[in-house]
Amino acid sequence: MVVSYSVKILLIEDNLASARLLQEFLTQAQSQEFTLVHVTRLGEALQELSKCNYDVILLDLTLPDSQGLSSLPPLIGQAPSIPIVVLTNTNDEELAIEAVRQGAQDYLVKRQVNVDVLVRSLRYAIERKQVLESLRTVNETLQTRVEERTAELVKANELNQFKSEFVSMLSHDIRNPLNTILLAAGLLQNQDERLTKEKKLNHLQMIRSAIKNMAQLLDEVTFIGKADSGRLGHDLICLDLEAFCRQMIEEVRLLANEKHLTLVFASFGQLDEALWDESLLRHILGNLLSNAIKYSLPGGIVRFELIGQEKAVIFRVQDWGIGIPQENQKRLFQPFQRADNVGTIPGTGLGLAIAKKCVDAQGGEIVVNSQVGVGTTFTVTLPLLEV
């Protein structure tokens, strides 16, 4: 079935009645801008995408040869630049929102669709995708510039793999929260009268969370830049280490409680007065404790030990979580590096790099001992600076 208009749509929908209704809505659109091509299976859609170019895809999440979110990766892989609007029943709304997080641009609840809603969703999906494509173009331009700079610095060994890592960070860690912001803002703008107060608060929370993630990422990148250029300041003060460590435990307790984890702190040895940089210590211990909680299994234990020695102090953070594959441990302290088994657990890959640079700045050492499925122990040794 083909109707001659200018914006070309691929509809993947096995329900013929729904397909006819959508076609009728597009026929009624005053702008007369749409061409609709209808297929009933994912396999047919992939074949169609290999032959023709489309402006937007309408995807039903329940198909004879594909169910739920499993339809998204093949479509995105086949046509990464084409925006996708998912079609769902009312009880599938949470699944549809997850689909947007995984790469779709918008979703429509079938029973709520009318001419205006359908046309507006298609246009906004195309606009959002264009924004993301513009970002991709910027990334490609940045990559070209980084490659040029790499060629200049390679002989002096000043780059240390920053090119590909930085481009990867932009394309993934910034694009995903940006997509979330665009989606939530669009929903608030276009469905304001129909959204409940709770829904509006949820969308605003999505926006705040995405902005917070982007701000944290920028702060971490800035910190890495300062460390690499030798601009980390030192503000040494006399610190009660045991009290400080107990304070760090309290600061992460809420995070641990969300996973029903038990935090155990123990102090050993003689802890004489010494000078410490509180900011650097906070970066080290905050990242190690947060990681131990993040990668622990619910209901487990995180153990934090403070050990005083004659000329040094040892901080040990141990968990019984997912562990780190042996092949990943050598590059664990490099920026933007994460273990292969983290799955969907969020993270930027900068925390351990920051911890390592803070340890190095104080003339210390950090080592990791880990086994997949058993757990991980980080041990930090810092020399004493006597008062």
Side-chain angles (χ1 to χ4, degrees), residues 329-350:
Q329 294 181 24
K330 292 182 180 180
R331 55 182 176 85
L332 201 59
F333 297 108
Q334 297 177 14
F336 310 115
Q337 298 296 327
R338 303 189 71 203
D340 295 334
N341 62 334
V342 298
T344 59
I345 300 174
T348 62
L350 289 173

Side-chain angles (χ1 to χ4, degrees), residues 54-98:
Y54 288 87
D55 297 299
V56 63
I57 296 171
L58 277 171
L59 169 66
D60 181 26
L61 290 180
T62 304
L63 299 170
D65 58 343
S66 181
Q67 293 292 314
L69 301 182
S70 62
S71 300
L72 279 175
L75 289 172
I76 294 174
Q78 180 80 6
S81 63
I82 300 178
I84 299 173
V85 177
V86 298
L87 300 169
T88 178
N89 297 316
T90 303
N91 59 356
D92 291 334
E93 189 168 351
E94 290 186 4
L95 181 65
I97 292 175
E98 181 60 28

